[in-house]
Amino acid sequence: MQSSSRRMGVMTDVHRRFLQLLMTHGVMEEREVAHLQKHCYKVHDSSATADKLEDFINNINSVLESLYIEIKKGITEDDGRPIYALVNLATTPVSKMASDYAENELDLFRKALELIIDSESGFASSTNILNLVDQLKGKRMRKKEAEQVLQKFVQNKWLIEKEGEFTLHGRAILEMEQYIRGMYPDSVKTCNICHGLLIQGQSCETCGIRMHLPCVAKYFQANPEPHCPHCNDYWPHEIPEVFDPEKEGEPTISRPHRKSLRSRQH
Amino acid sequence: MCGSQSLPDCSLFCPRVVSPAPLVSHRPSPLRSAPVDRTMSEGNEPPRGGPKEPELLVLPCDRAMSEGNEPPGGGPKEPELLEPPGTEGDRARDREGSEQKDAPRPGPKELGLRLLLPERERERERPERKELPRPGPKELELLVPAACLARVLKQVEEEDVPLKGMPGLPGFSGGSGLLTLEEALNLGDADLAHLLGLADDEEKCRQIRKQYRQLIHNVQQNREDIVNTASDSLTEALEEANALFDTVSRTREAALDAQFLVLASDLGKEKAKQLNSDMSFFNQVAFCDFLLLFVGLNWLEADREALTDCDDNMARSFWETVHKEATCWILQADTFHFMFSSFKTDSSAPKRRVEYKRKAPKMEESGDMPTKLRRMDLTCNQEATEKEVERILGLLQTYFRKYPDTPVSYFEFVIDPTSFSRTVENIFYVSFIIRDGFARIRLDQDRLPILEPIDIDQMGEGSDFSFHSRKQGIISLSLQDWKNIVATFEISEAMIKKY
């Protein structure tokens, strides 16, 4: 602690509550995170002025540094929403004892991860994943169970399912980036613009460079004739919209509440 | 009075007894039966002999002095007061045992050492043991002169003195245990020693029995407590019995132990019956009623229509109340869930990846191979055979069309000089052709088989067909035969081309 150059911050109950709630969710969008911060201040210390979200989170991160845990900020690959996730950074004997999932379930996740990284589009079909079920380490898993395990991963925000195909959730990308770069250095794809790990994205047909969808949106923003930055060829894909947080409605935390009220009126 | 009872006995049977006063037996003052003791001691005081009595019992006396209370009679050394720690009520017996050990100190006057076994038991345990039969006054006392005792014990130390015919020694209380006077007088010194040793044991056994009976009595007294409360008293009683059982060496005590165990197990059974086994019994209706009461809603009173109007608010308040109550019981903070480093990684995994990738393009290039394989494997054998047969039939018919009216040598047609297995397959397929009647096989003038075509018009003749179909032939070909044929006929290439 004394040798670290960064001064370790101080955590108050506001920070602690925030961290505990973030830990429960695992990953949250930026809007929700800001809302959560305000909520924590309201509960514990309504008189104090709220820190800026960035400073607030950096404060917490400096305390968590010694535990190799961090609140990382990232962007969802499909629509560019900023997200915050609490991730584990180091392999320790304690981390190996994690008991969220059984050995065969973790192996299934690992195989699905491999397929996703190898695939061209960043999506691995559920059929292909289920075909690997027989090669799993640990207790033999039936295909039916494997389907349920995959659904469990989706619920816990490790995978995203779209039309029967699975890809990595933003949370998984933030946490497993280190692992992926280490294990699959040859097959890993990177974005030409932000140089970050790329799972889903658009690629140029001639030169093969890839870009994240939000990166494409930002790069070709308001450009009527998009050209590939590398080979200058015409960029054939549809340019997505840049994500605008103001355009969204209220944060998703309160949305279910309203929905439930409406549904009661039969 | 016990004392008075003993007196006539001793005078009758023990002429050698010097002092009519019983020594030890009558002063078990520290015993539970205090009044009895006192009477005993009081009764015995007058006949007490001189100060020599205690001299026999020096050691125990010392102990007694340190621990015990002095009897009302109060002599300087009161061996009767002696109670070895932990054995209430058995001190007298213990003292007797120790007295016997102390015998090497002879007193100037011989004093009888009276083992008033039955009487003592009777006296001492009157208030405690009700189940034992009281020995009658006719019980004998075994009196051993002190000097004799000393000699005997020396012998015992020197050699192992076997017991001679001592019937019924175990269990002194009761008539069978006692020796008749004649027997007693006729006892040799050696026998006496053993008898005394046994008597020593007897004391211990009596102690044990007393303890067992005490334990049983206690448990019976506290039956209600043990069964109804969740205390450890039954376990403690069992542990006590366990400890006692370690000292048991005879069946009598073992029987008592068994009796205690029966009692304890009965109590255990009652306790077990009281266990609520209906753990999973959950009355949903009752729970719902309680829940509504708790929240403050009352279904029975309010109208149903009125309820639906303020549905939302009521529902919200319901959940809020339940939430507040439930949080007290479900105080669990979520833990940190992560995926990274939760599974072991193989270092060989990256290498495998590269190999797999290289294999993938290769497979795509040789596109013919998979299709060929697939055709062979996936289609069922039936189809493959038929197809082969058709193909070979086609070949045969082509040949016949090319060279009409020339039967082909069977061997030349069928044999493949490069592959024996292929030859066998060809024979197999040709047999189908023959069976179906598209060709026929017969021996020519050289007694070699030839294949002849059958015209289609000839096929119409049913009799011919049926006639032919009744004939069967088996062709066998060994590897050597095949090689010979290839050499003899000089077959250089197969007529039936491989597909």
Side-chain angles (χ1 to χ4, degrees), chain A residues 20 23-24 69 86-91 95 100-101 106 109-110 118 137 158 171 175-176 179 183-184 186 264, chain B residues 311-312 315-316 319 333-347 349-350 352-354 356-357:
Chain A
Q20 191 71 66
M23 201 186 277
T24 313
I69 300 176
L86 188 67
V87 301
N88 181 29
L89 294 175
T91 315
S95 71
D100 275 354
Y101 303 105
L106 284 174
F109 180 78
R110 191 147 61 101
D118 281 338
K137 277 189 242 172
W158 294 111
R171 180 186 188 187
E175 186 154 356
M176 306 298 289
Y179 170 82
M183 286 293 285
Y184 313 107
D186 307 325
R264 273 202 217 107
Chain B
D311 214 355
D312 267 350
R316 210 180 316 163
W319 285 114
D334 225 339
T335 54
F336 177 41
H337 301 288
F338 55 90
M339 191 62 86
F340 177 64
S341 81
S342 54
F343 40 80
K344 296 179 203 122
T345 58
D346 313 322
S347 53
R352 249 191 284 131
R353 301 262 341 92
V354 182
Y356 178 70
K357 279 190 127 179

Side-chain angles (χ1 to χ4, degrees), chain B residues 87-340:
Chain B
T87 54
E88 276 189 357
D90 295 325
R91 283 191 200 178
R93 285 192 217 112
D94 271 350
R95 250 176 282 131
E96 283 164 16
S98 48
E99 281 159 28
Q100 290 150 27
K101 285 172 202 153
D102 295 332
R105 288 183 216 206
K109 286 181 195 172
E110 286 179 315
L111 298 166
L113 187 66
R114 189 176 287 165
L115 300 174
L116 291 168
L117 308 172
E119 292 194 2
R120 207 171 298 112
E121 282 183 325
R122 201 190 323 143
E123 289 143 11
R124 217 172 293 118
E125 294 166 46
R126 206 182 286 142
E128 303 136 20
R129 264 195 294 170
K130 289 156 197 170
E131 49 265 52
L132 265 192
R134 285 167 168 227
K138 290 180 190 161
E139 310 291 2
L140 301 175
E141 307 157 5
L142 186 66
L143 305 167
V144 177
C148 180
L149 193 58
R151 256 184 290 133
V152 156
L153 286 171
K154 270 191 208 153
Q155 269 188 336
V156 167
E157 279 168 43
E158 282 156 16
E159 32 186 82
D160 213 8
V161 178
L163 200 61
K164 286 187 223 168
M166 296 287 212
L169 262 181
F172 270 105
S173 57
S176 59
L178 289 182
L179 307 164
T180 59
L181 175 63
E182 294 78 14
E183 285 172 2
L185 292 175
N186 290 337
L187 280 177
D189 293 343
D191 299 336
L192 277 171
H194 191 88
L195 188 63
L196 287 172
L198 284 165
D200 193 0
D201 284 339
E202 274 320 300
E203 274 312 303
K204 286 193 196 131
C205 292
R206 212 176 296 124
Q207 255 175 64
I208 295 170
R209 285 198 294 277
K210 191 172 186 74
Q211 284 174 304
Y212 265 119
R213 288 188 195 105
Q214 183 61 32
L215 192 60
I216 291 172
H217 177 78
N218 275 348
V219 168
Q220 275 170 341
Q221 288 288 14
N222 302 332
R223 197 189 179 97
E224 286 298 307
D225 263 334
I226 292 175
V227 170
N228 291 331
T229 64
S231 66
D232 287 334
S233 38
L234 187 59
T235 320
E236 284 164 8
L238 277 168
E239 276 167 8
E240 220 184 295
N242 270 346
L244 265 182
F245 191 71
D246 287 334
T247 59
V248 161
S249 56
R250 301 200 186 157
T251 51
R252 200 141 169 227
E253 290 80 53
L256 271 175
D257 182 74
Q259 189 184 346
F260 170 73
L261 271 183
V262 167
L263 176 65
S265 58
D266 275 340
L267 287 181
K269 189 169 118 186
E270 275 187 47
K271 282 189 97 160
K273 268 196 206 152
Q274 286 185 350
L275 265 182
N276 187 10
S277 55
D278 295 347
M279 298 266 206
S280 56
F281 181 69
F282 175 69
N283 189 345
Q284 281 183 330
V285 178
F287 178 73
C288 289
D289 288 338
F290 283 129
L291 190 63
L292 286 171
L293 268 174
F294 167 74
V295 169
L297 295 169
N298 220 324
W299 284 114
L300 299 172
E301 288 181 8
D303 289 327
R304 277 219 83 117
E305 295 90 49
L307 277 172
T308 48
D309 285 344
C310 44
D311 214 355
D312 267 350
N313 287 331
M314 217 184 289
R316 210 180 316 163
S317 68
F318 170 82
W319 285 114
E320 276 169 13
T321 333
V322 173
H323 174 73
K324 266 192 218 129
E325 181 64 30
T327 43
C328 317
W329 301 96
I330 310 173
L331 284 172
Q332 196 186 28
D334 225 339
T335 54
F336 177 41
H337 301 288
F338 55 90
M339 191 62 86
F340 177 64

Side-chain angles (χ1 to χ4, degrees), chain A residues 251-263:
Chain A
T252 47
I253 299 171
S254 54
R255 231 183 273 144
H257 186 74
R258 252 190 282 140
K259 245 192 241 164
S260 63
L261 285 176
R262 254 180 272 126
S263 66

Side-chain angles (χ1 to χ4, degrees), chain A residues 108 112 115-116 124-133 150 166:
Chain A
L108 180 69
L115 279 177
I116 289 169
S125 78
S126 60
T127 329
N128 289 343
I129 299 175
L130 290 175
N131 281 339
L132 299 173
V133 161
L150 286 172
F166 291 93

